[in-house]
Amino acid sequence: LGPTFGSLTSLTELLAHDNRFTALPKELGFLHNLVLLDLSFNNIELVPPFNHLNSLKHADLRHNRLREVPRAAFGQLTSLEFL
């Protein structure tokens, strides 16, 4: 994901599974209309705060290298239904 990734503000679904990602770009936080985020089957070790993704309902982080998901990463997302 390149530096212009954050300009895709109308994006509602991001299917980025099976990509060997080890980290998430900070620009992901600019995708305010994102409803579905699938980052499963990557190598992600740390989840940054997603506090600005107010439309997010579904976040799939299965099969990564996460040891924990900090409460602050998703704590303020009132629309979140699946994690």
Side-chain angles (χ1 to χ4, degrees):
L1 302 173
T4 59
F5 176 68
S7 66
L8 302 173
T9 55
S10 297
L11 192 68
T12 59
E13 295 185 5
L14 177 60
L15 305 175
H17 52 84
D18 296 297
N19 280 291
R20 299 183 187 164
F21 292 137
T22 57
L24 300 175
K26 63 181 178 189
E27 290 83 10
L28 188 65
F30 301 134
L31 305 178
H32 302 287
N33 292 312
L34 201 62
V35 175
L36 171 69
L37 176 62
D38 185 351
L39 295 168
S40 60
F41 296 93
N42 281 290
N43 296 317
I44 300 167
E45 296 179 3
L46 179 65
V47 178
F50 288 115
N51 296 335
H52 300 291
L53 301 180
N54 296 327
S55 299
L56 191 63
K57 291 185 178 184
H58 183 105
D60 191 345
L61 297 168
R62 293 174 298 144
H63 301 283
N64 277 285
R65 295 184 177 183
L66 297 170
R67 293 184 185 200
E68 69 177 330
V69 176
R71 181 176 291 238
F74 296 96
Q76 297 178 10
L77 301 181
T78 57
S79 297
L80 192 63
E81 298 173 358
F82 177 86
L83 176 60

Coordinates of all heavy atoms in Angstrom, one line a residue:
L1 N 0.8 -1.2 0.0 CA 0.0 0.0 0.0 C 0.9 1.2 0.0 O 1.7 1.4 0.9 CB -0.9 0.0 1.2 CG -1.8 -1.2 1.4 CD1 -2.5 -1.2 2.7 CD2 -2.8 -1.3 0.3
G2 N 0.7 2.1 -1.0 CA 1.5 3.2 -1.2 C 1.1 4.4 -0.3 O 0.1 4.4 0.4
P3 N 1.9 5.5 -0.5 CA 1.6 6.7 0.3 C 0.3 7.4 0.0 O -0.3 8.2 0.8 CB 2.8 7.6 0.0 CG 3.4 7.1 -1.2 CD 3.0 5.7 -1.3
T4 N -0.3 7.2 -1.2 CA -1.5 7.8 -1.6 C -2.8 7.0 -1.2 O -3.9 7.4 -1.4 CB -1.6 8.0 -3.1 OG1 -1.5 6.8 -3.8 CG2 -0.5 9.0 -3.6
F5 N -2.5 5.9 -0.5 CA -3.6 5.0 0.0 C -4.6 5.8 0.8 O -5.8 5.5 0.7 CB -2.9 3.9 0.8 CG -3.9 2.9 1.4 CD1 -4.6 2.1 0.6 CD2 -4.0 2.9 2.7 CE1 -5.5 1.2 1.1 CE2 -4.9 2.0 3.3 CZ -5.7 1.2 2.5
G6 N -4.2 6.7 1.6 CA -5.1 7.4 2.5 C -6.1 8.3 1.7 O -7.1 8.8 2.3
S7 N -5.8 8.6 0.5 CA -6.7 9.5 -0.3 C -7.9 8.8 -0.8 O -8.8 9.4 -1.4 CB -5.9 10.1 -1.5 OG -5.5 9.1 -2.4
L8 N -8.0 7.5 -0.6 CA -9.2 6.7 -1.0 C -10.3 6.8 0.0 O -10.8 5.8 0.5 CB -8.8 5.2 -1.3 CG -7.7 5.0 -2.3 CD1 -7.2 3.5 -2.2 CD2 -8.1 5.4 -3.6
T9 N -10.7 8.0 0.3 CA -11.7 8.2 1.4 C -13.1 7.7 1.1 O -13.8 7.5 2.1 CB -11.8 9.7 1.7 OG1 -12.1 10.4 0.5 CG2 -10.4 10.2 2.2
S10 N -13.4 7.3 -0.1 CA -14.7 6.8 -0.4 C -14.7 5.3 -0.3 O -15.8 4.6 -0.4 CB -15.2 7.2 -1.8 OG -15.4 8.6 -1.8
L11 N -13.6 4.7 -0.1 CA -13.5 3.2 0.0 C -14.3 2.7 1.1 O -14.2 3.1 2.3 CB -12.0 2.8 0.2 CG -11.6 1.4 0.0 CD1 -11.8 1.0 -1.5 CD2 -10.2 1.1 0.4
T12 N -15.1 1.6 0.9 CA -16.0 1.0 1.9 C -15.5 -0.4 2.3 O -15.8 -0.8 3.4 CB -17.5 1.0 1.5 OG1 -17.6 0.2 0.3 CG2 -18.0 2.4 1.3
E13 N -14.8 -1.0 1.4 CA -14.3 -2.4 1.7 C -12.8 -2.5 1.3 O -12.5 -2.1 0.2 CB -15.1 -3.4 0.9 CG -16.5 -3.5 1.3 CD -17.3 -4.7 0.6 OE1 -16.6 -5.4 -0.1 OE2 -18.5 -4.8 0.8
L14 N -12.1 -3.1 2.2 CA -10.7 -3.3 1.9 C -10.4 -4.8 2.2 O -10.4 -5.2 3.3 CB -9.7 -2.4 2.7 CG -8.2 -2.7 2.6 CD1 -7.8 -2.4 1.1 CD2 -7.5 -1.8 3.5
L15 N -10.1 -5.6 1.1 CA -9.8 -7.0 1.2 C -8.4 -7.1 1.0 O -7.9 -7.1 -0.2 CB -10.7 -7.8 0.3 CG -12.2 -7.6 0.4 CD1 -12.9 -8.3 -0.7 CD2 -12.7 -8.0 1.7
A16 N -7.6 -7.2 2.0 CA -6.1 -7.3 1.9 C -5.6 -8.5 2.6 O -4.5 -8.5 3.2 CB -5.5 -6.0 2.4
H17 N -6.3 -9.6 2.5 CA -5.9 -10.9 3.1 C -4.8 -11.6 2.3 O -4.7 -11.3 1.1 CB -7.1 -11.8 3.3 CG -7.9 -12.0 2.1 ND1 -7.5 -13.0 1.1 CD2 -9.0 -11.4 1.6 CE1 -8.4 -12.9 0.2 NE2 -9.3 -12.0 0.4
D18 N -4.0 -12.4 2.9 CA -3.0 -13.2 2.2 C -1.9 -12.4 1.5 O -1.6 -12.6 0.3 CB -3.6 -14.2 1.3 CG -4.5 -15.2 2.0 OD1 -3.9 -16.0 2.7 OD2 -5.7 -15.2 1.7
N19 N -1.4 -11.3 2.1 CA -0.5 -10.4 1.5 C 0.9 -10.3 2.1 O 1.7 -9.6 1.7 CB -1.0 -9.0 1.3 CG -2.0 -8.9 0.2 OD1 -1.6 -9.0 -1.0 ND2 -3.3 -8.8 0.4
R20 N 1.1 -11.0 3.2 CA 2.3 -11.0 4.0 C 2.6 -9.7 4.6 O 3.8 -9.3 4.8 CB 3.5 -11.5 3.1 CG 3.3 -12.9 2.6 CD 4.5 -13.4 1.9 NE 4.2 -14.7 1.3 CZ 4.9 -15.2 0.3 NH1 5.9 -14.6 -0.2 NH2 4.6 -16.4 -0.1
F21 N 1.6 -8.8 4.8 CA 1.9 -7.6 5.5 C 2.4 -7.8 6.9 O 1.9 -8.7 7.6 CB 0.6 -6.7 5.6 CG 0.1 -6.2 4.3 CD1 -1.3 -6.3 4.0 CD2 0.9 -5.7 3.3 CE1 -1.8 -5.8 2.8 CE2 0.4 -5.2 2.1 CZ -0.9 -5.2 1.9
T22 N 3.3 -7.0 7.3 CA 3.8 -7.1 8.7 C 3.4 -5.9 9.5 O 3.4 -6.0 10.7 CB 5.4 -7.2 8.7 OG1 5.9 -6.1 8.0 CG2 5.9 -8.5 8.0
A23 N 3.0 -4.9 8.9 CA 2.5 -3.6 9.5 C 1.4 -3.0 8.7 O 1.3 -3.3 7.6 CB 3.7 -2.7 9.7
L24 N 0.7 -2.1 9.4 CA -0.4 -1.4 8.7 C 0.0 0.1 8.5 O 0.6 0.7 9.4 CB -1.6 -1.5 9.5 CG -2.2 -2.9 9.8 CD1 -3.4 -2.8 10.7 CD2 -2.5 -3.5 8.4
P25 N -0.3 0.7 7.4 CA 0.1 2.1 7.2 C -0.8 3.0 8.0 O -2.0 2.7 8.2 CB -0.1 2.3 5.7 CG -1.2 1.3 5.3 CD -0.9 0.1 6.2
K26 N -0.2 4.1 8.5 CA -1.0 5.0 9.3 C -2.1 5.6 8.4 O -3.1 6.1 9.0 CB -0.1 6.1 9.8 CG 0.5 7.0 8.8 CD 1.4 8.0 9.4 CE 2.1 8.8 8.3 NZ 3.1 9.7 8.7
E27 N -2.0 5.6 7.1 CA -3.0 6.2 6.2 C -4.3 5.4 6.3 O -5.4 5.9 5.9 CB -2.5 6.2 4.8 CG -1.4 7.2 4.5 CD 0.0 6.6 4.9 OE1 0.1 5.5 5.2 OE2 0.9 7.4 4.9
L28 N -4.3 4.2 6.8 CA -5.5 3.4 7.0 C -6.5 4.2 7.8 O -7.7 4.1 7.6 CB -5.2 2.1 7.6 CG -6.3 1.1 7.7 CD1 -6.7 0.6 6.3 CD2 -5.8 -0.2 8.4
G29 N -6.0 5.0 8.7 CA -6.9 5.8 9.6 C -7.7 6.9 8.9 O -8.6 7.4 9.5
F30 N -7.3 7.2 7.7 CA -8.0 8.2 6.9 C -9.2 7.7 6.1 O -9.9 8.4 5.5 CB -7.1 8.9 5.9 CG -5.9 9.5 6.6 CD1 -4.6 9.4 6.0 CD2 -6.0 10.3 7.7 CE1 -3.5 9.9 6.6 CE2 -4.9 10.9 8.3 CZ -3.7 10.7 7.8
L31 N -9.4 6.4 6.1 CA -10.5 5.8 5.4 C -11.8 5.8 6.2 O -12.3 4.7 6.6 CB -10.1 4.4 4.9 CG -8.8 4.3 4.2 CD1 -8.5 2.8 3.9 CD2 -8.8 5.1 2.9
H32 N -12.4 6.9 6.4 CA -13.5 7.1 7.3 C -14.8 6.4 6.9 O -15.6 6.1 7.7 CB -13.8 8.6 7.4 CG -12.7 9.4 7.8 ND1 -12.3 9.4 9.2 CD2 -11.9 10.3 7.2 CE1 -11.2 10.2 9.3 NE2 -11.0 10.7 8.1
N33 N -14.9 6.0 5.6 CA -16.1 5.3 5.1 C -15.9 3.8 5.1 O -16.8 3.1 4.7 CB -16.5 5.8 3.7 CG -17.0 7.2 3.8 OD1 -17.8 7.6 4.6 ND2 -16.5 8.1 2.9
L34 N -14.8 3.3 5.6 CA -14.5 1.9 5.5 C -15.5 1.1 6.5 O -15.7 1.4 7.6 CB -13.1 1.6 6.0 CG -12.5 0.3 5.6 CD1 -12.4 0.2 4.1 CD2 -11.1 0.2 6.2
V35 N -16.2 0.1 5.9 CA -17.1 -0.7 6.6 C -16.6 -2.1 6.9 O -16.8 -2.7 7.9 CB -18.5 -0.8 5.9 CG1 -19.4 -1.7 6.5 CG2 -19.1 0.6 5.7
L36 N -15.8 -2.6 5.9 CA -15.3 -4.0 6.0 C -13.8 -3.9 5.8 O -13.3 -3.3 4.8 CB -15.9 -4.9 4.9 CG -15.3 -6.2 4.7 CD1 -15.6 -7.1 5.9 CD2 -15.8 -6.9 3.4
L37 N -13.0 -4.5 6.7 CA -11.6 -4.5 6.7 C -11.1 -6.0 6.9 O -11.3 -6.5 8.0 CB -11.0 -3.6 7.7 CG -9.5 -3.6 7.9 CD1 -8.8 -3.1 6.6 CD2 -9.1 -2.7 9.1
D38 N -10.6 -6.6 5.9 CA -10.1 -8.0 6.0 C -8.6 -8.0 5.8 O -8.1 -7.8 4.7 CB -10.8 -8.9 4.9 CG -10.4 -10.3 5.1 OD1 -9.5 -10.6 5.9 OD2 -11.0 -11.2 4.4
L39 N -7.9 -8.2 6.9 CA -6.5 -8.3 6.9 C -6.0 -9.6 7.4 O -4.9 -9.8 7.9 CB -5.9 -7.2 7.8 CG -6.1 -5.7 7.4 CD1 -5.8 -4.8 8.5 CD2 -5.3 -5.4 6.1
S40 N -6.9 -10.6 7.2 CA -6.5 -12.0 7.7 C -5.4 -12.6 6.9 O -5.1 -12.2 5.8 CB -7.8 -12.8 7.7 OG -8.3 -12.9 6.3
F41 N -4.8 -13.6 7.5 CA -3.7 -14.3 6.9 C -2.5 -13.4 6.4 O -2.1 -13.5 5.2 CB -4.2 -15.2 5.7 CG -5.2 -16.3 6.2 CD1 -6.6 -16.0 6.3 CD2 -4.7 -17.5 6.7 CE1 -7.4 -17.0 6.7 CE2 -5.6 -18.4 7.1 CZ -6.9 -18.2 7.2
N42 N -2.1 -12.6 7.2 CA -0.9 -11.7 7.0 C 0.1 -12.0 8.1 O -0.1 -13.0 8.8 CB -1.3 -10.3 6.9 CG -1.9 -9.9 5.6 OD1 -1.2 -9.8 4.6 ND2 -3.2 -9.6 5.6
N43 N 1.0 -11.2 8.3 CA 2.0 -11.3 9.4 C 2.1 -10.1 10.3 O 3.1 -9.8 10.8 CB 3.4 -11.6 8.7 CG 3.5 -12.9 8.0 OD1 3.0 -13.9 8.4 ND2 4.1 -12.8 6.8
I44 N 0.9 -9.5 10.5 CA 0.8 -8.3 11.3 C 1.0 -8.6 12.7 O 0.5 -9.5 13.3 CB -0.6 -7.7 11.1 CG1 -0.8 -7.3 9.6 CG2 -0.8 -6.4 12.0 CD1 -2.2 -7.0 9.2
E45 N 1.9 -7.8 13.3 CA 2.3 -8.0 14.7 C 1.7 -7.0 15.7 O 1.5 -7.2 16.9 CB 3.8 -8.0 14.9 CG 4.4 -9.1 14.2 CD 6.0 -9.1 14.3 OE1 6.5 -8.3 15.0 OE2 6.6 -10.0 13.7
L46 N 1.3 -5.8 15.1 CA 0.8 -4.7 16.0 C -0.3 -4.0 15.3 O -0.2 -3.7 14.0 CB 2.0 -3.7 16.2 CG 1.7 -2.4 17.0 CD1 1.3 -2.8 18.5 CD2 2.8 -1.5 17.0
V47 N -1.3 -3.7 16.0 CA -2.5 -3.0 15.4 C -2.5 -1.6 15.9 O -2.5 -1.3 17.2 CB -3.8 -3.7 15.9 CG1 -5.0 -2.9 15.4 CG2 -3.8 -5.1 15.4
P48 N -2.5 -0.6 15.0 CA -2.5 0.8 15.5 C -3.9 1.2 15.8 O -4.9 0.5 15.5 CB -2.1 1.6 14.2 CG -2.5 0.7 13.1 CD -2.3 -0.7 13.6
P49 N -4.2 2.3 16.5 CA -5.5 2.7 16.8 C -6.3 3.0 15.6 O -5.8 3.6 14.6 CB -5.3 4.0 17.6 CG -3.9 3.9 18.1 CD -3.1 3.2 17.1
F50 N -7.5 2.5 15.5 CA -8.4 2.7 14.4 C -9.6 3.7 14.8 O -10.7 3.6 14.3 CB -9.1 1.4 14.0 CG -8.1 0.5 13.3 CD1 -7.8 -0.7 13.9 CD2 -7.6 0.8 12.1 CE1 -7.0 -1.6 13.2 CE2 -6.8 -0.1 11.4 CZ -6.4 -1.3 12.0
N51 N -9.3 4.6 15.7 CA -10.3 5.5 16.3 C -11.1 6.3 15.3 O -12.2 6.7 15.6 CB -9.7 6.4 17.3 CG -9.2 5.6 18.5 OD1 -9.6 4.5 18.8 ND2 -8.2 6.2 19.1
H52 N -10.6 6.6 14.1 CA -11.2 7.4 13.1 C -12.1 6.6 12.1 O -12.7 7.2 11.2 CB -10.2 8.3 12.4 CG -9.5 9.2 13.3 ND1 -10.1 10.3 14.0 CD2 -8.2 9.2 13.8 CE1 -9.2 10.9 14.8 NE2 -8.1 10.2 14.7
L53 N -12.1 5.3 12.2 CA -12.8 4.5 11.3 C -14.2 4.3 11.9 O -14.7 3.2 12.2 CB -12.1 3.2 11.1 CG -10.7 3.3 10.5 CD1 -10.1 1.9 10.3 CD2 -10.7 4.0 9.2
N54 N -15.0 5.3 12.0 CA -16.3 5.3 12.6 C -17.3 4.5 12.0 O -18.3 4.0 12.6 CB -16.8 6.7 12.8 CG -16.0 7.6 13.7 OD1 -15.4 7.0 14.6 ND2 -15.8 8.8 13.4
S55 N -17.2 4.2 10.7 CA -18.1 3.4 9.9 C -17.8 1.9 10.0 O -18.6 1.1 9.5 CB -18.2 3.8 8.5 OG -18.6 5.2 8.4
L56 N -16.6 1.5 10.5 CA -16.2 0.1 10.5 C -17.1 -0.8 11.3 O -17.4 -0.6 12.4 CB -14.8 0.1 11.1 CG -14.0 -1.3 10.9 CD1 -13.8 -1.5 9.4 CD2 -12.7 -1.3 11.6
K57 N -17.6 -1.8 10.6 CA -18.5 -2.8 11.2 C -17.8 -4.2 11.3 O -18.1 -4.9 12.2 CB -19.8 -3.0 10.4 CG -20.7 -1.8 10.4 CD -22.0 -2.1 9.7 CE -22.9 -0.9 9.8 NZ -24.2 -1.1 9.2
H58 N -16.9 -4.5 10.4 CA -16.3 -5.8 10.4 C -14.8 -5.7 10.2 O -14.3 -5.1 9.2 CB -16.9 -6.6 9.2 CG -16.4 -8.0 9.1 ND1 -17.2 -9.1 9.4 CD2 -15.3 -8.5 8.6 CE1 -16.5 -10.2 9.2 NE2 -15.3 -9.8 8.7
A59 N -14.0 -6.2 11.1 CA -12.5 -6.2 11.0 C -12.1 -7.6 11.3 O -12.2 -8.1 12.3 CB -11.9 -5.2 12.1
D60 N -11.5 -8.2 10.2 CA -11.0 -9.5 10.3 C -9.4 -9.5 10.4 O -8.8 -9.2 9.4 CB -11.4 -10.3 9.1 CG -11.2 -11.8 9.3 OD1 -10.4 -12.2 10.2 OD2 -11.8 -12.6 8.5
L61 N -8.9 -9.9 11.6 CA -7.5 -9.9 11.8 C -7.0 -11.4 12.1 O -5.9 -11.5 12.6 CB -7.1 -9.0 12.9 CG -7.5 -7.5 12.7 CD1 -7.3 -6.7 14.0 CD2 -6.5 -7.0 11.7
R62 N -7.8 -12.3 11.8 CA -7.4 -13.7 12.1 C -6.1 -14.1 11.4 O -5.8 -13.6 10.3 CB -8.5 -14.7 11.6 CG -9.8 -14.6 12.4 CD -10.9 -15.4 11.8 NE -11.2 -15.0 10.5 CZ -11.5 -15.8 9.5 NH1 -11.6 -17.1 9.7 NH2 -11.8 -15.4 8.3
H63 N -5.4 -15.1 12.0 CA -4.2 -15.7 11.4 C -3.1 -14.6 11.1 O -2.6 -14.6 9.9 CB -4.6 -16.5 10.2 CG -5.5 -17.6 10.5 ND1 -5.2 -18.8 11.1 CD2 -6.9 -17.7 10.3 CE1 -6.2 -19.5 11.3 NE2 -7.3 -18.9 10.8
N64 N -2.8 -13.8 12.0 CA -1.7 -12.9 12.0 C -0.8 -13.2 13.2 O -1.0 -14.3 13.8 CB -2.2 -11.5 12.1 CG -2.7 -10.9 10.8 OD1 -1.9 -10.6 9.9 ND2 -4.0 -10.8 10.6
R65 N 0.1 -12.4 13.4 CA 1.1 -12.6 14.5 C 0.8 -11.7 15.7 O 1.7 -11.3 16.4 CB 2.5 -12.4 14.0 CG 2.9 -13.5 13.0 CD 4.3 -13.4 12.6 NE 4.6 -14.4 11.6 CZ 5.8 -14.6 11.1 NH1 6.8 -13.9 11.4 NH2 6.0 -15.6 10.3
L66 N -0.4 -11.4 15.9 CA -0.8 -10.5 17.0 C -0.8 -11.3 18.3 O -1.3 -12.4 18.4 CB -2.3 -10.1 16.8 CG -2.5 -9.2 15.6 CD1 -4.0 -9.0 15.4 CD2 -1.8 -7.9 15.7
R67 N -0.2 -10.7 19.3 CA -0.2 -11.3 20.7 C -1.3 -10.7 21.5 O -1.8 -11.4 22.4 CB 1.2 -11.0 21.4 CG 2.3 -11.7 20.7 CD 3.6 -11.5 21.4 NE 4.6 -12.1 20.6 CZ 5.8 -12.4 21.1 NH1 6.0 -12.2 22.4 NH2 6.7 -13.0 20.4
E68 N -1.7 -9.5 21.1 CA -2.9 -8.9 21.8 C -3.4 -7.8 20.9 O -2.7 -7.3 20.0 CB -2.5 -8.3 23.2 CG -1.6 -7.1 23.1 CD -1.3 -6.5 24.5 OE1 -2.1 -6.6 25.3 OE2 -0.2 -5.9 24.6
V69 N -4.6 -7.4 21.1 CA -5.2 -6.3 20.4 C -5.6 -5.3 21.5 O -6.5 -5.5 22.3 CB -6.5 -6.7 19.6 CG1 -7.2 -5.5 19.0 CG2 -6.2 -7.8 18.6
P70 N -4.9 -4.2 21.5 CA -5.1 -3.2 22.6 C -6.5 -2.7 22.5 O -7.1 -2.4 21.4 CB -4.1 -2.1 22.3 CG -3.1 -2.7 21.4 CD -3.8 -3.8 20.6
R71 N -7.1 -2.5 23.7 CA -8.5 -2.0 23.7 C -8.6 -0.6 23.0 O -9.6 -0.3 22.4 CB -8.9 -1.8 25.2 CG -10.3 -1.3 25.3 CD -10.7 -1.3 26.8 NE -10.8 -2.7 27.2 CZ -11.9 -3.2 27.8 NH1 -13.0 -2.4 28.0 NH2 -12.0 -4.4 28.1
A72 N -7.5 0.2 23.1 CA -7.5 1.5 22.5 C -7.6 1.4 21.0 O -8.0 2.4 20.3 CB -6.3 2.3 22.9
A73 N -7.2 0.3 20.4 CA -7.2 0.2 18.9 C -8.7 0.2 18.4 O -8.9 0.7 17.3 CB -6.5 -1.1 18.5
F74 N -9.6 -0.3 19.1 CA -11.0 -0.4 18.6 C -12.0 0.1 19.6 O -13.2 0.1 19.3 CB -11.4 -1.9 18.2 CG -10.5 -2.4 17.1 CD1 -9.4 -3.2 17.4 CD2 -10.9 -2.2 15.8 CE1 -8.7 -3.7 16.4 CE2 -10.1 -2.7 14.8 CZ -9.0 -3.5 15.0
G75 N -11.6 0.6 20.7 CA -12.5 0.9 21.9 C -13.6 1.9 21.6 O -14.6 1.9 22.2
Q76 N -13.3 2.9 20.7 CA -14.3 3.9 20.4 C -15.1 3.7 19.2 O -15.9 4.6 18.8 CB -13.5 5.3 20.3 CG -12.8 5.6 21.6 CD -12.1 6.9 21.4 OE1 -12.2 7.7 20.4 NE2 -11.2 7.2 22.4
L77 N -15.0 2.5 18.6 CA -15.8 2.2 17.3 C -17.1 1.6 17.7 O -17.3 0.4 17.8 CB -15.0 1.3 16.4 CG -13.6 1.8 16.0 CD1 -12.9 0.8 15.2 CD2 -13.7 3.2 15.3
T78 N -18.1 2.5 17.8 CA -19.5 2.0 18.2 C -20.2 1.2 17.2 O -21.2 0.5 17.5 CB -20.3 3.3 18.6 OG1 -20.4 4.2 17.5 CG2 -19.7 4.0 19.8
S79 N -19.8 1.3 15.9 CA -20.4 0.5 14.8 C -19.9 -0.9 14.7 O -20.4 -1.7 14.0 CB -20.3 1.3 13.5 OG -21.0 2.5 13.5
L80 N -18.7 -1.2 15.3 CA -18.1 -2.4 15.1 C -18.9 -3.6 15.6 O -19.4 -3.6 16.8 CB -16.7 -2.4 15.9 CG -15.8 -3.5 15.6 CD1 -15.3 -3.5 14.1 CD2 -14.5 -3.5 16.5
E81 N -19.1 -4.6 14.7 CA -19.9 -5.7 15.1 C -19.1 -7.0 15.1 O -19.5 -8.0 15.8 CB -21.1 -5.9 14.0 CG -22.0 -4.8 14.0 CD -23.0 -4.8 12.9 OE1 -23.0 -5.8 12.1 OE2 -23.9 -3.9 12.8
F82 N -18.0 -7.1 14.4 CA -17.2 -8.3 14.3 C -15.7 -7.9 14.4 O -15.3 -7.1 13.6 CB -17.5 -9.0 13.0 CG -16.6 -10.2 12.8 CD1 -17.0 -11.4 13.3 CD2 -15.4 -10.1 12.1 CE1 -16.2 -12.6 13.1 CE2 -14.6 -11.2 11.9 CZ -15.0 -12.5 12.4
L83 N -15.0 -8.6 15.3 CA -13.6 -8.4 15.4 C -12.9 -9.8 15.5 O -13.3 -10.5 16.4 CB -13.2 -7.5 16.6 CG -11.7 -7.3 16.9 CD1 -11.0 -6.7 15.7 CD2 -11.6 -6.5 18.1

